[in-house]
Amino acid sequence: MIKTAIIIDDEEAGLENMERLLGLCDEIEVVAKTKIPEEAVSLITDKKPDIIFLDVEMPRMSGFEVLEITRNQGLNPIVIFTTGYNQYAIKAIKAQAFDYLLKPIVLDELKETLSRLSNNSIIGHRLNSSIASLLSPREIEILELVIQGKTSKEIAEKLFISKTTVDTHRRNLLEKTGCRSTSELLMRVMG
């Protein structure tokens, strides 16, 4: 299934390179691009892309600020940071970015990221976007593991959190989606 994407980069060369590379990837459709972070927020809100390719350092607003505003609006696109600076990698991980690509981005690296995305993520092809918009990034992460058949104990060990925390997230998943059981949730997500 083709995923929609928005490219956000304050440098024209960065925008053009990413658009050219994504043009070589059949599974991605670029629906918008911008050099202006404030415009990026509007584009993400209007177009609701599956993926955003997001520069970190931009004038007036960082990529992290764009992401925070987007998530505060209940939108949760997959985020792939694209930057010339490696010092933001830890912050990107904490922001639950899917990947962090250093410029200049090369086609093989981009294709490897997109391959992992299609193999590992439910958001683009299994998770209904109306459900995704209800959930936090952590809840989506837990839902992915539930879909894989992991128990609360296994999820807790994998994510280095307590089983009680996992159980709380699982209850929240049911409440937010209006499902009465995990099996009902899974049928709704997978259906």
Side-chain angles (χ1 to χ4, degrees):
M1 182 174 170
I2 293 177
K3 294 178 179 66
T4 56
I6 292 178
I7 307 167
I8 303 132
D9 193 319
D10 68 319
E11 297 175 4
E12 188 67 38
L15 276 179
E16 289 175 5
N17 184 51
M18 183 57 74
E19 186 172 35
R20 181 183 60 77
L21 292 173
L22 290 172
L24 301 171
C25 302
D26 295 337
E27 67 273 23
I28 300 293
E29 177 192 355
V30 176
V31 294
K33 63 180 182 174
T34 184
K35 297 191 315 184
I36 304 165
E38 296 86 353
E39 183 178 70
V41 173
S42 297
L43 287 170
I44 293 165
T45 303
D46 293 343
K47 304 222 179 254
K48 297 179 178 45
D50 299 312
I51 307 170
I52 55 175
F53 292 89
L54 184 57
D55 192 7
V56 174
E57 284 196 3
M58 296 181 286
R60 297 176 309 285
M61 188 185 300
S62 75
F64 293 107
E65 290 169 308
V66 169
L67 182 58
E68 183 180 355
I69 292 167
T70 300
R71 286 184 174 160
N72 286 340
Q73 293 176 355
L75 300 172
N76 197 23
I78 296 165
V79 178
I80 299 174
F81 280 108
T82 57
T83 182
Y85 306 96
N86 63 8
Q87 69 261 33
Y88 298 110
I90 300 294
K91 190 172 181 179
I93 291 167
K94 288 182 178 178
Q96 298 181 337
F98 183 80
D99 209 342
Y100 186 88
L101 301 175
L102 286 175
K103 295 177 188 176
I105 296 163
V106 294
L107 184 59
D108 288 344
E109 188 177 6
L110 178 62
K111 283 191 169 191
E112 190 273 326
T113 293
L114 295 175
S115 174
R116 279 190 301 110
L117 180 63
S118 63
N119 290 337
N120 297 329
S121 176
I122 62 169
I123 298 169
H125 59 286
R126 282 197 260 170
L127 184 57
N128 176 322
S129 63
S130 65
I131 293 174
S133 68
L134 299 171
L135 307 178
S136 71
R138 178 62 104 181
E139 288 165 343
I140 289 172
E141 188 175 24
I142 287 172
L143 180 56
E144 288 177 344
L145 295 169
V146 169
I147 288 171
Q148 293 171 21
K150 304 281 188 213
T151 65
S152 290
K153 183 179 181 209
E154 290 169 329
I155 294 169
E157 289 170 1
K158 181 171 179 60
L159 300 179
F160 303 103
I161 57 178
S162 73
K163 180 184 174 296
T164 305
T165 300
V166 173
D167 290 337
T168 299
H169 283 301
R170 290 179 77 145
R171 273 193 307 279
N172 289 343
L173 284 167
L174 295 177
E175 286 176 20
K176 286 182 175 183
T177 59
C179 295
R180 293 182 299 272
S181 66
T182 300
S183 58
E184 182 182 340
L185 174 63
L186 292 176
M187 284 193 308
R188 185 167 167 200
V189 169
M190 304 299 275

